[in-house]
Amino acid sequence: MYFPYLRGRQNELLCLRELVDNNLLSSHIVPIIEPVRYSSTLFSTIEYNGWASPSNTVK
Protein backbone atom coordinates (compact mmCIF):
# COMPACT_ATOMS: atom_id res chain seq x y z
CA MET A 1 0.00 0.00 0.00
CA TYR A 2 1.11 3.53 -0.74
CA PHE A 3 -0.21 6.53 1.19
CA PRO A 4 0.78 9.78 -0.56
CA TYR A 5 0.48 12.79 1.74
CA LEU A 6 -1.21 15.75 0.03
CA ARG A 7 -1.79 19.24 1.36
CA GLY A 8 -5.19 19.52 -0.32
CA ARG A 9 -4.27 22.35 -2.64
CA GLN A 10 -6.50 22.89 -5.64
CA ASN A 11 -4.01 21.55 -8.21
CA GLU A 12 -3.51 18.35 -6.15
CA LEU A 13 -7.25 17.81 -5.80
CA LEU A 14 -7.87 18.33 -9.49
CA CYS A 15 -5.04 15.91 -10.28
CA LEU A 16 -6.65 13.27 -8.05
CA ARG A 17 -9.93 13.74 -9.89
CA GLU A 18 -8.23 13.30 -13.24
CA LEU A 19 -6.43 10.14 -12.07
CA VAL A 20 -9.72 8.62 -10.93
CA ASP A 21 -11.48 9.60 -14.16
CA ASN A 22 -8.78 7.89 -16.24
CA ASN A 23 -8.63 4.80 -13.97
CA LEU A 24 -4.98 5.48 -13.14
CA LEU A 25 -5.38 5.46 -9.35
CA SER A 26 -4.89 1.93 -8.07
CA SER A 27 -6.76 0.53 -5.10
CA HIS A 28 -3.33 0.13 -3.48
CA ILE A 29 -2.90 3.91 -3.40
CA VAL A 30 -4.80 5.71 -0.65
CA PRO A 31 -4.22 9.48 -0.66
CA ILE A 32 -4.02 11.21 2.72
CA ILE A 33 -5.35 14.75 2.38
CA GLU A 34 -4.58 17.35 5.02
CA PRO A 35 -6.32 20.47 3.78
CA VAL A 36 -4.55 23.82 3.98
CA ARG A 37 -8.03 25.32 4.12
CA TYR A 38 -11.49 23.98 3.55
CA SER A 39 -12.71 24.80 0.07
CA SER A 40 -15.49 23.77 -2.25
CA THR A 41 -12.92 21.93 -4.40
CA LEU A 42 -11.92 19.81 -1.41
CA PHE A 43 -15.49 18.81 -0.60
CA SER A 44 -16.47 18.19 -4.21
CA THR A 45 -13.37 16.02 -4.82
CA ILE A 46 -14.07 13.91 -1.74
CA GLU A 47 -17.72 13.45 -2.68
CA TYR A 48 -16.97 12.97 -6.40
CA ASN A 49 -14.53 10.13 -5.74
CA GLY A 50 -16.81 8.42 -3.25
CA TRP A 51 -14.32 8.77 -0.40
CA ALA A 52 -16.96 10.26 1.89
CA SER A 53 -19.54 8.03 3.48
CA PRO A 54 -21.97 8.49 6.36
CA SER A 55 -19.44 6.92 8.72
CA ASN A 56 -16.62 9.18 7.42
CA THR A 57 -18.03 12.66 7.81
CA VAL A 58 -15.96 15.70 6.93
CA LYS A 59 -15.76 18.17 9.79
Side-chain angles (χ1 to χ4, degrees):
M1 299 281 303
Y2 176 61
F3 301 96
Y5 185 82
L6 305 174
R7 299 289 297 168
R9 298 184 187 272
Q10 185 172 6
N11 60 341
E12 294 173 339
L13 297 172
L14 294 174
C15 181
L16 280 175
R17 242 191 221 187
E18 188 173 327
L19 288 171
V20 170
D21 283 344
N22 295 321
N23 294 321
L24 297 174
L25 193 63
S26 167
S27 63
H28 298 288
I29 299 173
V30 179
I32 307 298
I33 303 171
E34 181 181 352
V36 173
R37 63 184 173 95
Y38 294 104
S39 67
S40 60
T41 307
L42 171 66
F43 292 115
S44 65
T45 300
I46 291 171
E47 291 170 356
Y48 177 81
N49 293 323
W51 294 327
S53 68
S55 62
N56 297 333
T57 56
V58 178
K59 296 179 183 178

